[in-house]
Amino acid sequence: MIFGFFLCLDAFLYVFTLLPLRVILALLRLITLPCCGLSGSRLLQPAQVCDVLKGFIMVLCYSMMSYVDYAMMYHLIRGQSVIKLYIIYNMLEVADRLFSSFGQDILDALYWTATEPKEKKRAHIGVIPHFLMAVLYVFLHALLIMVQATTLNVAFNSHNKSLLTIMMSNNFVEIKGSVFKKFEKNNLFQMSNSDIKERFTNYILLLIVCLRNMEQFSWNPDHLWVLFPDVVMVIASEVAVDVVKHAFITKFNDISADVYGEYRASLAFDLVSSRQKNAYTDYSDSVSRRMGFIPLPLALLLIRVVMSSVKIQGSLSFMCVLLFYFGMITLKVLNSIVLLGTSCVFVKEANMEEKLFDPPPSAASSRVNSRAHRTKHVHTAPQQEATADKGGPSLTSDNSQLPTIPETPAPTVPKSDSDTFLTTPDEEEDDKIINTDTGLEGDGLKNRTPKKDLLEIDRFTICGNRID
């Protein structure tokens, strides 16, 4: 969870630090292109095109968010009853997950449309409609997170803290909804990624609440100590619920705690593979696809709150902002260096270095192979029964026609830890059906289809931010 938190932090800081610099460099290339001449077939590289699109989306959405009145929204939500606010907050959490899942597909479609080869015949609506859809999505998602942060702010400022208590008790409902269900390793992996994203989003929401409250009290440091107990209580309840939930899920489903090391190695593999020279996606896009964390709406809301809460006047204020920006760049670079180093260690410990150069087969191909394998066995079994009924050579009567199986164990190929991941439930059931139909109890288990590891679960598509 800590490793995943710093992955989200690195992708979140990228929006504030490196993305503006990359957009400026891409625009300078466009401006100076008539002087330098067109050296290649493209005006901009695919990665630069995606950076420019992200920058334009942020600028347009920020101009749209400037018309949203935070104070009016706060008083509108504060006038509602406690039970209604509790229901609204639960609905916002569900909508946030749906928006994150659908929004990543919208952004992937935009990136692919803008960077696809021009020789191909277009089979879509074009770049501009996809761009408008992406702008609308980022604005609506930022507005939804803004309502969620405002509801949390109302809970903090309520006199009897009843709403905050009810919202904290909502975390314990997760235990009831998930502990007594059957989970496989890959399902638990997706739940762990969702918990990491949810925890990081809650930290940003708490930061926004603290900024709004400090701005209302003229940045008095004494008021920060008034908010501190409530912030600690919210964070402690979130951590305690996650620990209890995962502990009982692993206990009831008989899953070893070592599986979290495999999850960490899978996340580290995504980071290391996205740093290669010929990577298909940028790092922030791979984190978004794996965890469902999209940093653009959250970063947009934080920029909107900071710009409305902090007044910049005078040369000294500009110097402080510049020093703060350099500090954020330093934090981003240091965090990236440490994450890359630790990720290489985790990948090496899991013996996954060979997969960096040999991409895993797609899930579709493995599915087709498993279906063909099952069909082959299912059709051969009735044929053998038919020959036995006609008086032909049977399997039980004539053992001399069967190939002899040596008693000595065959040399086994050393496998990495990533090859020991569990398959999905439907593939396991298919293998069981194959073994029961053919009557092979011992040796039939050796001819199973290749297992699907965690790296093939929810793989990010190659239509993301491709780096040439």
Side-chain angles (χ1 to χ4, degrees):
M1 298 288 282
I2 296 175
F3 181 74
F5 172 81
F6 282 103
L7 290 180
C8 293
L9 179 63
D10 194 66
F12 187 68
L13 289 176
Y14 171 81
V15 181
F16 299 97
T17 55
L18 298 184
L19 181 61
L21 298 178
R22 292 169 65 96
V23 171
I24 292 174
L25 292 177
L27 294 179
L28 286 178
R29 175 180 169 82
L30 285 178
I31 294 174
T32 59
L33 194 61
C35 301
C36 301
L38 185 62
S39 58
S41 60
R42 285 182 176 270
L43 296 177
L44 294 175
Q45 296 297 325
Q48 293 176 326
V49 173
C50 295
D51 291 331
V52 172
L53 289 175
K54 291 178 184 177
F56 285 159
I57 288 174
M58 293 293 291
V59 172
L60 290 178
C61 291
Y62 178 77
S63 61
M64 296 167 65
M65 286 288 292
S66 60
Y67 292 99
V68 179
D69 193 354
Y70 189 90
M72 183 186 69
M73 183 182 296
Y74 176 82
H75 291 289
L76 181 64
I77 294 177
R78 191 174 184 178
Q80 308 299 324
S81 61
V82 174
I83 300 300
K84 187 183 293 186
L85 289 180
Y86 173 71
I87 297 175
I88 290 174
Y89 192 79
N90 289 336
M91 293 172 60
L92 291 176
E93 284 188 345
V94 176
D96 179 51
R97 296 184 180 182
L98 297 178
F99 265 70
S100 298
S101 177
F102 184 65
Q104 186 59 40
D105 296 332
I106 292 178
L107 295 177
D108 280 346
L110 173 64
Y111 299 153
W112 168 251
T113 306
T115 59
E116 69 174 340
K118 303 303 179 184
E119 303 86 30
K120 295 179 60 177
K121 182 180 179 181
R122 293 187 179 273
H124 47 74
I125 57 179
V127 179
I128 295 180
H130 279 157
F131 178 76
L132 296 178
M133 290 173 60
V135 170
L136 181 62
Y137 154 71
V138 173
F139 173 71
L140 292 178
H141 198 179
L143 196 64
L144 184 143
I145 300 175
M146 189 176 185
V147 176
Q148 195 172 359
T150 308
T151 308
L152 188 61
N153 194 7
V154 171
F156 267 74
N157 295 329
S158 59
H159 297 288
N160 53 3
K161 306 293 182 182
S162 59
L163 179 59
L164 185 62
T165 305
I166 294 176
M167 291 170 63
M168 287 175 54
S169 65
N170 187 35
N171 294 329
F172 293 91
V173 180
E174 296 182 12
I175 299 178
K176 176 185 176 182
S178 58
V179 163
F180 302 104
K181 293 181 180 179
K182 181 176 176 56
F183 280 90
E184 299 291 340
K185 276 189 177 182
N186 45 19
N187 304 121
L188 185 60
F189 180 49
Q190 295 174 355
M191 173 179 283
S192 302
N193 292 333
S194 178
D195 291 340
I196 292 171
K197 176 252 179 185
E198 182 182 358
R199 185 179 296 186
F200 184 82
T201 304
N202 289 335
Y203 291 161
I204 301 300
L205 292 180
L206 290 175
L207 176 62
I208 293 174
V209 169
C210 292
L211 287 175
R212 294 299 302 176
N213 280 275
M214 293 296 293
E215 189 262 339
Q216 294 296 325
F217 286 89
S218 302
W219 299 97
N220 187 7
D222 296 334
H223 185 68
L224 184 61
W225 297 108
V226 177
L227 296 173
F228 186 73
D230 296 334
V231 173
V232 172
M233 186 168 55
V234 172
I235 294 176
S237 65
E238 183 75 22
V239 173
V241 166
D242 287 340
V243 170
V244 172
K245 179 175 66 175
H246 284 271
F248 279 98
I249 286 176
T250 53
K251 172 181 168 56
F252 292 152
N253 294 276
D254 196 16
I255 299 176
S256 175
D258 297 334
V259 72
Y260 293 101
E262 300 173 0
Y263 298 161
R264 185 180 59 186
S266 179
L267 295 178
F269 182 86
D270 286 343
L271 173 59
V272 176
S273 60
S274 64
R275 298 298 189 187
Q276 294 182 4
K277 184 178 180 180
N278 56 348
Y280 286 113
T281 63
D282 189 53
Y283 167 63
S284 59
D285 296 323
S286 63
V287 172
S288 301
R289 172 61 65 186
R290 178 67 73 181
M291 297 186 179
F293 172 69
I294 304 177
L296 292 182
L298 203 58
L300 176 66
L301 178 60
L302 187 59
I303 294 174
R304 169 71 173 82
V305 172
V306 170
M307 293 298 291
S308 62
S309 301
V310 180
K311 299 296 186 291
I312 303 175
Q313 297 177 353
S315 59
L316 183 61
S317 299
F318 281 103
M319 288 298 297
C320 292
V321 171
L322 189 61
L323 290 176
F324 183 74
Y325 179 70
F326 286 147
M328 290 181 62
I329 292 180
T330 306
L331 178 61
K332 168 68 173 67
V333 172
L334 290 177
N335 190 26
S336 300
I337 292 174
V338 174
L339 279 178
L340 185 59
T342 54
S343 298
C344 292
V345 173
F346 295 149
V347 170
K348 189 175 182 180
E349 289 178 354
N351 298 324
M352 298 166 64
E353 302 98 324
E354 66 277 0
K355 293 189 177 183
L356 292 174
F357 307 100
D358 297 331
S362 62
S365 61
S366 63
R367 175 72 64 178
V368 171
N369 294 333
S370 64
R371 297 296 181 189
H373 186 70
R374 185 186 65 217
T375 306
K376 178 181 178 181
H377 280 281
V378 168
H379 286 292
T380 54
Q383 292 175 1
Q384 293 173 355
E385 292 178 359
T387 55
D389 294 337
K390 293 179 182 179
S394 62
L395 294 177
T396 56
S397 61
D398 192 2
N399 293 330
S400 61
Q401 296 180 2
L402 290 176
T404 59
I405 300 175
E407 297 293 336
T408 58
T412 58
V413 180
K415 296 182 179 180
S416 61
D417 293 338
S418 60
D419 295 330
T420 60
F421 295 150
L422 287 180
T423 56
T424 52
D426 53 352
E427 289 186 353
E428 289 183 351
E429 293 175 359
D430 292 343
D431 289 335
K432 291 179 180 179
I433 294 174
I434 294 170
N435 294 329
T436 54
D437 290 340
T438 57
L440 299 177
E441 296 181 356
D443 296 329
L445 297 176
K446 298 181 181 179
N447 297 325
R448 283 191 172 185
T449 56
K451 293 185 177 182
K452 206 166 60 168
D453 60 8
L454 288 177
L455 296 178
E456 298 180 25
I457 300 170
D458 193 20
R459 289 290 296 173
F460 49 81
T461 57
I462 63 173
C463 62
N465 187 356
R466 296 167 296 173
I467 301 175
D468 294 337

